[in-house]
Amino acid sequence: MGAQSEFQELQKCGDDLTHILDLTGTWRGRDTTFIAESLLTALCGMLDLDFVYLRPDEAVHAFTRVGQVLGSALETDDMSVRIGRWLDTDPQLRPTHLLANEMSISVVAFPLGIAAGIGWLVAGSRRHDFPSQTEHLRLGVAVTHATVAFREVRDLANRPLPRDARYREPTEAAPAEGERALQLFIDTIPAAAYCTTADGMVELINRHHLDYVGRTYEEMKGLGFLGQFHPDDLPGLLSTWQGMLASKQGGDLEGRVRRADGEYRWTLIRTAPLLDDDGNVVRWYGVNTDIEDRKRTEDSLRAAEAALAATERNFSLMIDSLPLLVWSSRADGSADYVNKHYLEYAGLPERDIMGWGYVDLLHPDDVDGMVARWKAQLDLDWAVNQARLRRHDGEYRRFYFAGRKFIDSSGAVRWFGANIDIEDLKRAEDALKESEAALRTSERKLQEIISTIPGLVWTASPDGAATFANQHYLDFFGFSAEDALGRGWSTAVHPDDLERLLRRWASMLESGRGGDAEARMRRADGQYRWLLFRTNPLYDVAGNLTQWFGINTDIDDRKRAEEELREAQAELAHVTRLITMGELAVSIAHEVNQPLMAIVTNAATCLRWLEEGKLDVAQARQAAERIVRDGHHAGEVIASIRALARKSSPLIERMDLGKAIREMLELIQGQLGRAGIQPTLEFSDDKPEVFGDRTQLQQVVLNLILNSVEAMADTPDGQPLLHIQVSIGDEGFAEVRITDNGPGIDPHAIDRLFDAFFTTKPNGIGMGLSICRSIIDGHGGQIWASQNTPKGSVFHFTVPLAVAA
C-alpha cells in the first residue's frame, strides 16, 4: 500500500471511530432493539460488509444485515441460522471461512462482555483479507461500546423500583426494615454501588463492589475507600469529590481502581446526592463502571490519530521532495494543491496557480488542446496528456501529465496527479529518429554497394545460419532470397564436398575464428564450379560474437589452371629425372655391372664344380644361390632406374622413408665414391613411415643430394661432408635434413632458391628446386634452406607421418 493510500485509510478509520463514539450518545435511554439496529446499520455502511450479525443474550431473536450480493443468493433468516449454529458449536475468535452457496465468506466473531456473557457480534465479507487491522480496530471499538450499552440496559431492566429513602413507615420498626431492604437492594445490583454520608464518608457498599476490589467492608468504610484508587489519580479525585460535596451537585469522575487481581483499571465514578425537603444532602449514592476497554480504545484512537498526523507530515515531506510536479484538483479540473517542486519550477506564488491559474503556464499553442482534452477526460478514471510548461526562467519544456480520479466515502471527487519533465527524453528521441533515418540511408547505400560487389557476399548468425545473401549470390545459384537463408545454401554443394565443407564450417563456428574452405557448388545452369569460401566474425565491444561475414569466390578457372600446372610440373619432373639419369649413366652402369659380373663369376664357378672328377654338389649349390641373389639385386637396381624414368601419376601411400633414402644412396653410390664423398645417415626412428609418393620423394632426395655434391666439388681442400638426418617432429611430420660443407648459400638469394627459373649455377635452368617445392607442397609439407655452421648449406623438407590406424 502506498503512502497516500495508507494516509487515506487511517483518515477514514479515525472518522469511523468518531462516528461510533457519536452513535453511543444516541443510545442513552433506548432499548436493545434500537441499539442493535443502529449499530448494524452503521457497521454495514462504514465497512462495506456482506453481512453482520448481533445476538444479545437477553433478546428474543438475533439481528442480521445481509449485503445485496449475498442476499440474492441466501435468505437473511437462513444466514442467521447458519451463524447461530456456528456460534453454538465452534465459535472462533480468529478469522475463519464459511461457505454460503459455494461462496467463501471470511468471518470474525467478537464476544460481548467477558466469555460472551452479553452476546456475540459476527461480521463477514467475501474479501479474503478481511478483516484488515483498521477494520478489526473499528469492530472492536463498536463491540466495546455495545457491551457497555447492553449491560446498562440489562441492569436497568433487572433492577426493582427503589423505595424513596425519605419515605418512612408509620410503624416503629419501619426504619430498620427499610435499611435492610436498601442493603439487600444495593447488594443485588450487578454494579459497584456505594452510599456515603453527607460529608463523604462511606457507610454502605454493596457486595459486587467489595468483590471487585477484593476488600472487606471494614477496609472500605469511612475514608478507607480511598485506598482502592491509583496513587497518581488520588489527588485529582479528592479535589473533584470535595468540590461536589461543597456544591451539593453530583457528577462523573474517572480514575484507576485496583481490581482484586491487582490490575488497575480505568473506572467511571457516577455520584448523585439525596436531598431533603430543605435541599440539604442526606446521603450520596454512586456507581462505578469499568471503562478500561473504552479507555484503551480511546488510547488506540489517539495513537492512530498521532500516527495519522505523522503520516500526513511524512507524506507531505515526501510529496515535496519528489522531483515531479505533483498536484491535485477538484472534480471540475481546477487545481487545489501543488507541491513545493511545482512552485519552484513555476517561480510563482501558490495563489497564482490555484484554480485555473496553472493554465497561464502552458505554451500558447498548447492551451486550447490541453484544456479540451483535460475536460473531456474528467468523466474517466484516468487522464493522460502532453504539453509544454513555462519554467521560471521563461523556457518552455515538454511535460507528460498523468492523473487519476479518487472518490472518497462521502462521494466527493478529487483528482491526484503528477507532471513529468520529458524534454530531455524528447530531445533524445528526436536525435534518435534523425540517427535512425541516417542509418536507414546508410543501410540502403551499403545494400546497394554489397549488391554490386562482383562477389557472392553473405552474412550468418552466430550459430552459422545464413541471414543475408546479395543479389549476385542469388543470381549465381538461382536462389530466391528465402532459399539462401538458414541452411538452404547447402543444397547447392556437391555431394562429395558437403560433409567436408560442413566440418570445416563447424570448426570455424566453434573456434570463433574466420578461415578459408574450398568446395564445388552447383551454378544456376547446373554446372558445378569450385568456390573459395572466406569468412570473418564480427565481435561487439563486450567481446560477444554477433555476426559472420563471408564471400564466395569462383576459383574454378584457377583450379583448372593449377591442375594444368601440376601436369606440366609432373612432365618437367619426368624430364628432369631422365636428365639426371643421363648424368648418372656411368654410375648406373657401374651399379648394374657389379651384379652382372658377380653372376658371370658365380656361373663359371658352378660349372667348374660340376665337371667330371671335380664334382662338388654343395659348392655348386652355393654358387647357384649367389647367382640368384645377384640377379635379384640387378633387378632391383633396374627397377629403381625404371621407376625414376617412368612417367606415372602420383601414388600417395604409406611408405618407409628411410628405406627409400637408402635405395637412392645405393643407386648413386658410384658417383659419390668418385667424388670422394662418404655419406652418413642418422635416423631418430628405425622405420620412419610417412604418407607419400615413393618415386617423387626419391626424386627430391636425389636432386638435393646432387646439388650438395656439385657444390662440394668446388671445395679447395678438406674432406667433403654429406650428412642426411631423418627426425620425427611433434606436429605429425617427419623432417629430412641434407647437410653439406660446401661454400654455402648467398644470403641475398636464399629467399628465391625455390622460385621457378631462378638459379645460381652458370649453366642451370632454375627448375630443379622449383620442382622439389611443388612435390613437397603437393604432399602437404614444407621445404626450405638455411646456412650450415661453420660453412655449407642445409636443405630441409617435411612430409606427414603415417599415423598408425
Side-chain angles (χ1 to χ4, degrees), residues 24-35:
T24 58
T26 66
W27 294 345
R28 189 181 301 277
R30 308 307 292 266
D31 59 8
T32 301
T33 300
F34 177 85
I35 296 172

mmCIF file with all atom_site columns, all heavy atoms in Angstrom, residues 24-35:
data_model
loop_
_atom_site.group_PDB
_atom_site.id
_atom_site.type_symbol
_atom_site.label_atom_id
_atom_site.label_alt_id
_atom_site.label_comp_id
_atom_site.label_asym_id
_atom_site.label_entity_id
_atom_site.label_seq_id
_atom_site.pdbx_PDB_ins_code
_atom_site.Cartn_x
_atom_site.Cartn_y
_atom_site.Cartn_z
_atom_site.occupancy
_atom_site.B_iso_or_equiv
_atom_site.pdbx_formal_charge
_atom_site.auth_seq_id
_atom_site.auth_comp_id
_atom_site.auth_asym_id
_atom_site.auth_atom_id
_atom_site.pdbx_PDB_model_num
ATOM 1  N N   . THR A 1 24 ? -22.905 6.271  20.228 1.00 0.00 ? 24 THR A N   1
ATOM 2  C CA  . THR A 1 24 ? -23.230 5.820  21.595 1.00 0.00 ? 24 THR A CA  1
ATOM 3  C C   . THR A 1 24 ? -24.017 6.887  22.361 1.00 0.00 ? 24 THR A C   1
ATOM 4  O O   . THR A 1 24 ? -24.776 6.569  23.283 1.00 0.00 ? 24 THR A O   1
ATOM 5  C CB  . THR A 1 24 ? -21.937 5.493  22.359 1.00 0.00 ? 24 THR A CB  1
ATOM 6  O OG1 . THR A 1 24 ? -21.095 6.646  22.394 1.00 0.00 ? 24 THR A OG1 1
ATOM 7  C CG2 . THR A 1 24 ? -21.185 4.359  21.689 1.00 0.00 ? 24 THR A CG2 1
ATOM 8  N N   . GLY A 1 25 ? -23.850 8.141  21.971 1.00 0.00 ? 25 GLY A N   1
ATOM 9  C CA  . GLY A 1 25 ? -24.613 9.199  22.641 1.00 0.00 ? 25 GLY A CA  1
ATOM 10 C C   . GLY A 1 25 ? -26.111 9.115  22.360 1.00 0.00 ? 25 GLY A C   1
ATOM 11 O O   . GLY A 1 25 ? -26.926 9.640  23.133 1.00 0.00 ? 25 GLY A O   1
ATOM 12 N N   . THR A 1 26 ? -26.454 8.491  21.236 1.00 0.00 ? 26 THR A N   1
ATOM 13 C CA  . THR A 1 26 ? -27.888 8.365  20.890 1.00 0.00 ? 26 THR A CA  1
ATOM 14 C C   . THR A 1 26 ? -28.542 7.177  21.583 1.00 0.00 ? 26 THR A C   1
ATOM 15 O O   . THR A 1 26 ? -29.765 6.988  21.451 1.00 0.00 ? 26 THR A O   1
ATOM 16 C CB  . THR A 1 26 ? -28.044 8.206  19.370 1.00 0.00 ? 26 THR A CB  1
ATOM 17 O OG1 . THR A 1 26 ? -27.469 6.946  18.963 1.00 0.00 ? 26 THR A OG1 1
ATOM 18 C CG2 . THR A 1 26 ? -27.341 9.331  18.630 1.00 0.00 ? 26 THR A CG2 1
ATOM 19 N N   . TRP A 1 27 ? -27.753 6.344  22.274 1.00 0.00 ? 27 TRP A N   1
ATOM 20 C CA  . TRP A 1 27 ? -28.311 5.139  22.907 1.00 0.00 ? 27 TRP A CA  1
ATOM 21 C C   . TRP A 1 27 ? -28.842 5.403  24.315 1.00 0.00 ? 27 TRP A C   1
ATOM 22 O O   . TRP A 1 27 ? -29.486 4.521  24.909 1.00 0.00 ? 27 TRP A O   1
ATOM 23 C CB  . TRP A 1 27 ? -27.226 4.051  22.982 1.00 0.00 ? 27 TRP A CB  1
ATOM 24 C CG  . TRP A 1 27 ? -26.796 3.543  21.629 1.00 0.00 ? 27 TRP A CG  1
ATOM 25 C CD1 . TRP A 1 27 ? -27.417 3.723  20.459 1.00 0.00 ? 27 TRP A CD1 1
ATOM 26 C CD2 . TRP A 1 27 ? -25.618 2.778  21.362 1.00 0.00 ? 27 TRP A CD2 1
ATOM 27 N NE1 . TRP A 1 27 ? -26.731 3.135  19.441 1.00 0.00 ? 27 TRP A NE1 1
ATOM 28 C CE2 . TRP A 1 27 ? -25.603 2.528  19.956 1.00 0.00 ? 27 TRP A CE2 1
ATOM 29 C CE3 . TRP A 1 27 ? -24.582 2.270  22.137 1.00 0.00 ? 27 TRP A CE3 1
ATOM 30 C CZ2 . TRP A 1 27 ? -24.596 1.795  19.354 1.00 0.00 ? 27 TRP A CZ2 1
ATOM 31 C CZ3 . TRP A 1 27 ? -23.592 1.544  21.521 1.00 0.00 ? 27 TRP A CZ3 1
ATOM 32 C CH2 . TRP A 1 27 ? -23.592 1.315  20.143 1.00 0.00 ? 27 TRP A CH2 1
ATOM 33 N N   . ARG A 1 28 ? -28.549 6.559  24.873 1.00 0.00 ? 28 ARG A N   1
ATOM 34 C CA  . ARG A 1 28 ? -28.952 6.818  26.251 1.00 0.00 ? 28 ARG A CA  1
ATOM 35 C C   . ARG A 1 28 ? -30.485 6.738  26.355 1.00 0.00 ? 28 ARG A C   1
ATOM 36 O O   . ARG A 1 28 ? -31.220 7.426  25.647 1.00 0.00 ? 28 ARG A O   1
ATOM 37 C CB  . ARG A 1 28 ? -28.461 8.187  26.697 1.00 0.00 ? 28 ARG A CB  1
ATOM 38 C CG  . ARG A 1 28 ? -28.657 8.454  28.198 1.00 0.00 ? 28 ARG A CG  1
ATOM 39 C CD  . ARG A 1 28 ? -28.148 9.859  28.562 1.00 0.00 ? 28 ARG A CD  1
ATOM 40 N NE  . ARG A 1 28 ? -26.738 10.003 28.239 1.00 0.00 ? 28 ARG A NE  1
ATOM 41 C CZ  . ARG A 1 28 ? -25.746 9.595  29.033 1.00 0.00 ? 28 ARG A CZ  1
ATOM 42 N NH1 . ARG A 1 28 ? -26.017 9.032  30.189 1.00 0.00 ? 28 ARG A NH1 1
ATOM 43 N NH2 . ARG A 1 28 ? -24.494 9.771  28.680 1.00 0.00 ? 28 ARG A NH2 1
ATOM 44 N N   . GLY A 1 29 ? -30.946 5.879  27.251 1.00 0.00 ? 29 GLY A N   1
ATOM 45 C CA  . GLY A 1 29 ? -32.376 5.711  27.495 1.00 0.00 ? 29 GLY A CA  1
ATOM 46 C C   . GLY A 1 29 ? -33.106 4.895  26.449 1.00 0.00 ? 29 GLY A C   1
ATOM 47 O O   . GLY A 1 29 ? -34.337 4.782  26.499 1.00 0.00 ? 29 GLY A O   1
ATOM 48 N N   . ARG A 1 30 ? -32.355 4.284  25.460 1.00 0.00 ? 30 ARG A N   1
ATOM 49 C CA  . ARG A 1 30 ? -33.018 3.499  24.417 1.00 0.00 ? 30 ARG A CA  1
ATOM 50 C C   . ARG A 1 30 ? -32.915 2.026  24.721 1.00 0.00 ? 30 ARG A C   1
ATOM 51 O O   . ARG A 1 30 ? -32.087 1.575  25.530 1.00 0.00 ? 30 ARG A O   1
ATOM 52 C CB  . ARG A 1 30 ? -32.392 3.793  23.054 1.00 0.00 ? 30 ARG A CB  1
ATOM 53 C CG  . ARG A 1 30 ? -32.309 5.273  22.687 1.00 0.00 ? 30 ARG A CG  1
ATOM 54 C CD  . ARG A 1 30 ? -33.650 5.992  22.814 1.00 0.00 ? 30 ARG A CD  1
ATOM 55 N NE  . ARG A 1 30 ? -34.588 5.531  21.829 1.00 0.00 ? 30 ARG A NE  1
ATOM 56 C CZ  . ARG A 1 30 ? -34.793 6.110  20.647 1.00 0.00 ? 30 ARG A CZ  1
ATOM 57 N NH1 . ARG A 1 30 ? -34.106 7.209  20.349 1.00 0.00 ? 30 ARG A NH1 1
ATOM 58 N NH2 . ARG A 1 30 ? -35.677 5.625  19.792 1.00 0.00 ? 30 ARG A NH2 1
ATOM 59 N N   . ASP A 1 31 ? -33.763 1.210  24.069 1.00 0.00 ? 31 ASP A N   1
ATOM 60 C CA  . ASP A 1 31 ? -33.806 -0.222 24.338 1.00 0.00 ? 31 ASP A CA  1
ATOM 61 C C   . ASP A 1 31 ? -32.801 -0.982 23.459 1.00 0.00 ? 31 ASP A C   1
ATOM 62 O O   . ASP A 1 31 ? -32.120 -0.419 22.617 1.00 0.00 ? 31 ASP A O   1
ATOM 63 C CB  . ASP A 1 31 ? -35.218 -0.768 24.120 1.00 0.00 ? 31 ASP A CB  1
ATOM 64 C CG  . ASP A 1 31 ? -35.711 -0.527 22.694 1.00 0.00 ? 31 ASP A CG  1
ATOM 65 O OD1 . ASP A 1 31 ? -34.895 -0.086 21.861 1.00 0.00 ? 31 ASP A OD1 1
ATOM 66 O OD2 . ASP A 1 31 ? -36.901 -0.770 22.424 1.00 0.00 ? 31 ASP A OD2 1
ATOM 67 N N   . THR A 1 32 ? -32.791 -2.328 23.690 1.00 0.00 ? 32 THR A N   1
ATOM 68 C CA  . THR A 1 32 ? -31.831 -3.194 22.993 1.00 0.00 ? 32 THR A CA  1
ATOM 69 C C   . THR A 1 32 ? -32.030 -3.168 21.489 1.00 0.00 ? 32 THR A C   1
ATOM 70 O O   . THR A 1 32 ? -31.062 -3.130 20.714 1.00 0.00 ? 32 THR A O   1
ATOM 71 C CB  . THR A 1 32 ? -31.963 -4.636 23.512 1.00 0.00 ? 32 THR A CB  1
ATOM 72 O OG1 . THR A 1 32 ? -31.706 -4.653 24.916 1.00 0.00 ? 32 THR A OG1 1
ATOM 73 C CG2 . THR A 1 32 ? -30.981 -5.574 22.798 1.00 0.00 ? 32 THR A CG2 1
ATOM 74 N N   . THR A 1 33 ? -33.257 -3.184 21.025 1.00 0.00 ? 33 THR A N   1
ATOM 75 C CA  . THR A 1 33 ? -33.532 -3.218 19.591 1.00 0.00 ? 33 THR A CA  1
ATOM 76 C C   . THR A 1 33 ? -32.968 -1.987 18.891 1.00 0.00 ? 33 THR A C   1
ATOM 77 O O   . THR A 1 33 ? -32.329 -2.084 17.836 1.00 0.00 ? 33 THR A O   1
ATOM 78 C CB  . THR A 1 33 ? -35.043 -3.318 19.345 1.00 0.00 ? 33 THR A CB  1
ATOM 79 O OG1 . THR A 1 33 ? -35.533 -4.520 19.955 1.00 0.00 ? 33 THR A OG1 1
ATOM 80 C CG2 . THR A 1 33 ? -35.353 -3.338 17.849 1.00 0.00 ? 33 THR A CG2 1
ATOM 81 N N   . PHE A 1 34 ? -33.198 -0.828 19.465 1.00 0.00 ? 34 PHE A N   1
ATOM 82 C CA  . PHE A 1 34 ? -32.701 0.404  18.855 1.00 0.00 ? 34 PHE A CA  1
ATOM 83 C C   . PHE A 1 34 ? -31.182 0.394  18.782 1.00 0.00 ? 34 PHE A C   1
ATOM 84 O O   . PHE A 1 34 ? -30.585 0.743  17.751 1.00 0.00 ? 34 PHE A O   1
ATOM 85 C CB  . PHE A 1 34 ? -33.182 1.615  19.664 1.00 0.00 ? 34 PHE A CB  1
ATOM 86 C CG  . PHE A 1 34 ? -32.658 2.917  19.132 1.00 0.00 ? 34 PHE A CG  1
ATOM 87 C CD1 . PHE A 1 34 ? -33.326 3.570  18.098 1.00 0.00 ? 34 PHE A CD1 1
ATOM 88 C CD2 . PHE A 1 34 ? -31.489 3.496  19.635 1.00 0.00 ? 34 PHE A CD2 1
ATOM 89 C CE1 . PHE A 1 34 ? -32.832 4.773  17.590 1.00 0.00 ? 34 PHE A CE1 1
ATOM 90 C CE2 . PHE A 1 34 ? -31.005 4.682  19.132 1.00 0.00 ? 34 PHE A CE2 1
ATOM 91 C CZ  . PHE A 1 34 ? -31.688 5.327  18.100 1.00 0.00 ? 34 PHE A CZ  1
ATOM 92 N N   . ILE A 1 35 ? -30.554 -0.030 19.882 1.00 0.00 ? 35 ILE A N   1
ATOM 93 C CA  . ILE A 1 35 ? -29.082 -0.055 19.913 1.00 0.00 ? 35 ILE A CA  1
ATOM 94 C C   . ILE A 1 35 ? -28.549 -1.009 18.848 1.00 0.00 ? 35 ILE A C   1
ATOM 95 O O   . ILE A 1 35 ? -27.631 -0.680 18.083 1.00 0.00 ? 35 ILE A O   1
ATOM 96 C CB  . ILE A 1 35 ? -28.577 -0.458 21.311 1.00 0.00 ? 35 ILE A CB  1
ATOM 97 C CG1 . ILE A 1 35 ? -28.987 0.602  22.346 1.00 0.00 ? 35 ILE A CG1 1
ATOM 98 C CG2 . ILE A 1 35 ? -27.061 -0.655 21.301 1.00 0.00 ? 35 ILE A CG2 1
ATOM 99 C CD1 . ILE A 1 35 ? -28.694 0.196  23.776 1.00 0.00 ? 35 ILE A CD1 1
#
